[in-house]
Amino acid sequence: MLKNIALAAVLLFSIMVEAQTVAAKYAGEFLAIGVGGRPAGMGGAFTAMANDVTGAYYNPAGLTQINFPQVALMYDAQFGNLVNYNYAGVALPYGQSYTFGLSVMRLGIDGIDDTRHALVDKLTGAVITEINDNARIDQSKVKQFSNQDWAFYFSGSKKYSDNLSLGVNVKLISRSIAEYSAFGIGFDVAGLYKASEALTLGATLQDATTTLVAWSTGRNELITPTLKVGGLYKTAVFNSLTVAPILDLDVRFENRKFASTFNVGPVSFDPHAGLEMVYNKVFAVRAGYNDVKQFTFGAGIKLPKLNIDYSFARFALSEEDRLPDTHRVSLILTLEEPRFAR
């Protein structure tokens, strides 16, 4: 199956070879927002944890830690509700070693006014293309459009031993703005290694083969690979309290320089740091700092079969300079019954 998909991707590249193709910075930036209230509360550091359905995005290998089917929903209000970001995911254990998942993400700005054909001469009412002293906007000619980005992740993971799991994502991308649209396909490969009871290491190579996004205009954009590596150290402070510091590092190859935390030539490095404290396996508080210079905070509660997680993110800038805060709420339903067990 994967071989056939890979062959289709190669053929798609061949068909588009004569079109304008560029390795564009930030072409896949909407894919870097992340999913889930729990990871967001820890600054997006989740590569070495990835132990619920949202882990399919961060590290699909971590899905092998799930023993019951899970369904997740998320709503994210960004920039004062200007941008809507939503996510839904499902993960299904299969046998003793496999887990499969599907994740859907939508980033959208709706109700954008389109005034391209609404500029008229106020004397004649005729549509014009250049602004002059007689130009005005005819509100009856103003239309609206949406800017939408969709991503579909098909995930699979296998547990090779008690310590090692591997996983893969096949992702389809659909983008549109006004009458223009784009389609892309990409792949992620990942691994999770439990070095000890306390220490877990994880790594994900996103867009491993370089993801092609082909626009209807004939322009093709290439999303270059991003390597995410992370470490988690989980320990019990008291019988009822566990503490888990976690650290991720995003390694990009887009020559971002000043748009990164630090860089070495064309290679940039952006850390995510987080902390989760769980009391009695029911209540959790979280804090973190992410790659876009946001302080993050979060909390969660585990009810029977239902996890509710909330996160809050604020840019580390002065009050007059910073963008509005981000609020994210997610739900995870676990079908925790013997008949659904792995």
Side-chain angles (χ1 to χ4, degrees):
M1 179 64 176
L2 290 179
K3 289 182 179 179
N4 291 336
I5 294 174
L7 178 59
V10 172
L11 291 175
L12 181 60
F13 269 81
S14 299
I15 293 170
M16 300 296 181
V17 70
E18 294 184 1
Q20 180 186 5
T21 303
V22 294
K25 289 184 183 179
Y26 316 112
E29 197 66 9
F30 83 97
L31 297 174
I33 298 175
V35 302
R38 184 185 176 205
M42 295 183 285
F46 207 60
T47 304
M49 188 172 280
N51 58 357
D52 61 38
V53 58
T54 63
Y57 167 86
Y58 297 92
N59 184 345
L63 291 178
T64 59
Q65 301 176 91
I66 298 173
N67 293 316
F68 299 91
Q70 288 188 337
V71 178
L73 296 173
M74 182 200 78
Y75 173 75
D76 187 330
Q78 297 196 354
F79 311 129
N81 281 326
L82 176 64
V83 179
N84 293 317
Y85 181 52
N86 301 292
Y87 152 82
V90 60
L92 300 172
Y94 179 78
Q96 295 302 308
S97 302
Y98 294 92
T99 306
F100 300 97
L102 170 64
S103 306
V104 181
M105 289 159 274
R106 178 191 181 269
L107 179 73
I109 303 176
D110 301 309
I112 303 172
D113 286 339
D114 185 354
T115 61
R116 288 175 296 174
H117 304 293
L119 188 67
V120 300
D121 188 294
K122 65 183 179 182
L123 299 178
T124 66
V127 176
I128 59 178
T129 58
E130 296 182 359
I131 297 176
N132 56 49
D133 292 339
N134 292 326
R136 71 177 181 86
I137 296 294
D138 184 348
Q139 292 297 327
S140 66
K141 296 182 182 296
V142 176
K143 301 183 183 299
Q144 290 189 332
F145 64 90
S146 297
N147 178 15
Q148 299 188 64
D149 295 321
W150 288 85
F152 303 84
Y153 282 51
F154 300 89
S155 306
S157 61
K158 182 180 179 181
K159 189 173 185 178
Y160 285 87
S161 69
D162 290 340
N163 298 328
L164 177 65
S165 296
L166 300 178
V168 62
N169 284 330
V170 179
K171 53 191 180 185
L172 304 180
I173 300 166
S174 175
R175 311 191 71 179
S176 66
I177 180 168
E179 66 269 29
Y180 306 108
S181 61
F183 175 79
I185 183 171
F187 304 87
D188 304 334
V189 293
L192 189 76
Y193 180 71
K194 291 186 176 294
S196 67
E197 283 295 320
L199 179 63
T200 304
L201 305 175
T204 302
L205 182 60
Q206 298 177 330
D207 305 294
T209 59
T210 304
T211 296
L212 172 70
V213 179
W215 284 89
S216 58
T217 60
R219 175 186 173 91
N220 298 327
E221 296 177 339
L222 298 178
I223 303 174
T224 56
T226 296
L227 176 63
K228 298 176 73 72
V229 294
L232 162 72
Y233 191 85
K234 185 176 180 180
T235 185
V237 178
F238 303 107
N239 290 336
S240 56
L241 180 67
T242 60
V243 177
I246 185 169
L247 179 66
D248 275 15
L249 186 65
D250 294 347
V251 184
R252 297 185 175 94
F253 308 91
E254 294 183 336
N255 197 27
R256 291 195 174 191
K257 293 185 178 179
F258 303 111
S260 62
T261 304
F262 61 96
N263 72 286
V264 178
V267 183
S268 61
F269 303 87
D270 293 294
H272 305 249
L275 176 69
E276 180 179 61
M277 295 185 293
V278 181
Y279 175 73
N280 207 28
K281 297 183 179 180
V282 175
F283 300 102
V285 292
R286 306 175 184 109
Y289 187 76
N290 65 24
D291 61 325
V292 293
K293 299 179 175 61
Q294 282 181 315
F295 289 107
T296 65
F297 304 93
I301 183 171
K302 181 176 176 59
L303 304 174
K305 300 181 181 179
L306 181 66
N307 289 27
I308 304 174
D309 295 296
Y310 166 79
S311 70
F312 168 84
R314 168 166 289 185
F315 282 98
L317 299 172
S318 62
E319 187 71 28
E320 62 273 13
D321 293 333
R322 64 181 174 84
L323 293 168
D325 301 326
T326 297
H327 301 270
R328 178 179 292 185
V329 177
S330 66
L331 307 175
I332 296 179
L333 174 65
T334 303
L335 301 182
E336 200 167 349
E337 297 182 11
R339 59 178 172 154
F340 297 124
R342 179 187 292 279

